[in-house]
Amino acid sequence: MTSDRIDVLDSGYIRLVDSMPKEPGAGDLSIVRAARVSYDAAWRAGEDAGSDARLIHYLWRHKHSTPFESVEFQFEVMLPIFVARQWMRHRTWTYNELSGRYRELPELFYVPRPEHIGTQSEDNKQGRVFCEHGYVEACAVGIMRDAFEEAFKTYHELLEHGVPRELARTVLPLSTYTHFFAKVDLRNLFGFLDLRNDQHAQYEIRQYAEAMLDLVRPIAPVAVAAWEDGRKGNG
Ligand SMILES: Cc1cc2nc3c(=O)[nH]c(=O)nc-3n(C[C@H](O)[C@H](O)[C@H](O)COP(=O)(O)OP(=O)(O)OC[C@H]3O[C@@H](n4cnc5c(N)ncnc54)[C@H](O)[C@@H]3O)c2cc1C
């Protein structure tokens, strides 16, 4: 891991490629500058830590959300296709993704660790229950890996027979890793984290959401604290 890249799952990662602003803490200043135009405040280059923090908490608490859109982030993400499908439901992001029509897809697929398999939840139709892992989970890992390897073997056979990449890829599993760039502003990032850094979100996308929070916190620490306070009901 470098300071701007965090490894996630078995072969994935998330990297903060760029942000506006870039400097640690400067995102908080962008937010209060945007908010204070309401009363035509004079330009201020430096911070006033006390009043800025109070204002940011006030803004978030009272859903005055547009100042939080003045801070933007671009991420590079390596992730399984099933996680990307959940992520891309978030329409407020801008995406550019690896094309399986353009190039052969690398043989890279996600295999969960036995302790992250669990069993199907009885009361949450979408979820799983984590439990002590044992023989069943260890077997499941092997069965999944065999299926993924077999799918990639078929993919390579089809390519060797001249089948076009855009069709050959259709035999690949949802666990196949894809790669995208994604841009979002802080307000909509908080919206994403509300849903995906939450106990109802699937374990795998939560790992990316938690890593993302660690990457953005240094840019706008007070805003992140205000969002966290809001979630705890202290906002
Ligand atoms: C635990 C969980 C389970 C889910 N299960 C399913 C499922 O079974 N099937 C399924 O299809 N999806 C499912 N989803 C996806 C979910 O329905 C949303 O599509 C996804 O979470 C994106 O949320 P969003 O629309 O708030 O995000 P964004 O698209 O980023 O939008 C952010 C906000 O912008 C506003 N907005 C954006 N576009 C519009 C618009 N066109 N009209 C009005 N307001 C808009 C809304 O206020 C919205 O909340 C699930 C999500 C979660 C977290």
Side-chain angles (χ1 to χ4, degrees):
M1 173 188 146
T2 63
S3 60
D4 59 358
R5 173 183 148 157
I6 297 177
D7 292 335
V8 186
L9 305 181
D10 53 354
S11 300
Y13 61 82
I14 179 163
R15 184 198 312 275
L16 179 59
V17 176
D18 208 353
S19 68
M20 184 185 81
K22 291 184 198 304
E23 299 76 29
D28 291 329
L29 187 56
S30 296
I31 293 164
V32 294
R33 269 197 199 126
R36 287 189 173 124
V37 77
S38 299
Y39 54 89
D40 211 13
W43 172 259
R44 184 156 57 81
E47 298 172 54
D48 173 357
S51 73
D52 288 356
R54 276 194 301 280
L55 177 58
I56 289 171
H57 281 263
Y58 176 89
L59 293 169
W60 190 250
R61 204 163 52 237
H62 292 277
K63 301 189 176 16
H64 183 3
S65 48
T66 43
F68 295 85
E69 294 171 23
S70 56
V71 183
E72 294 191 319
F73 301 97
Q74 186 186 44
F75 299 97
E76 179 195 8
V77 196
M78 179 72 94
L79 71 177
I81 289 172
F82 70 91
V83 179
R85 283 200 61 178
Q86 295 178 336
W87 198 311
M88 288 187 170
R89 297 302 306 274
H90 295 267
R91 297 157 286 180
T92 46
W93 293 63
T94 302
Y95 303 97
N96 287 99
E97 189 181 8
L98 157 70
S99 168
R101 301 179 72 196
Y102 195 83
R103 59 153 293 175
E104 186 180 323
L105 294 170
E107 184 160 342
L108 202 57
F109 47 78
Y110 167 62
V111 182
R113 296 164 66 99
E115 63 269 32
H116 295 146
I117 291 184
T119 54
Q120 176 61 46
S121 169
E122 306 256 311
D123 52 7
N124 172 3
K125 290 195 171 125
Q126 289 194 325
R128 71 185 101 161
V129 178
F130 290 118
C131 49
E132 282 292 301
H133 70 280
Y135 180 71
V136 174
E137 288 80 5
C139 282
V141 168
I143 293 168
M144 290 168 107
R145 184 184 293 282
D146 287 351
F148 302 155
E149 285 175 355
E150 194 56 37
F152 267 96
K153 189 162 159 256
T154 307
Y155 175 61
H156 292 132
E157 276 170 17
L158 291 168
L159 293 176
E160 277 161 26
H161 283 95
V163 172
R165 287 186 290 269
E166 65 182 4
L167 280 179
R169 66 178 171 169
T170 62
V171 301
L172 294 178
L174 290 175
S175 61
T176 306
Y177 271 90
T178 186
H179 183 195
F180 63 53
F181 274 63
K183 187 171 79 67
V184 70
D185 63 59
L186 185 58
R187 182 254 181 106
N188 285 297
L189 178 59
F190 285 153
F192 179 96
L193 294 174
D194 279 338
L195 296 173
R196 305 300 183 178
N197 190 10
D198 180 85
Q199 57 169 340
H200 295 104
Q202 183 163 345
Y203 167 80
E204 284 77 11
I205 198 166
R206 277 183 80 174
Q207 306 313 300
Y208 287 90
E210 284 172 16
M212 209 183 319
L213 193 54
D214 288 342
L215 291 173
V216 305
R217 191 190 303 275
I219 305 289
V222 178
V224 170
W227 170 77
E228 284 173 330
D229 275 1
R231 292 194 98 195
K232 286 185 217 139
N234 303 332

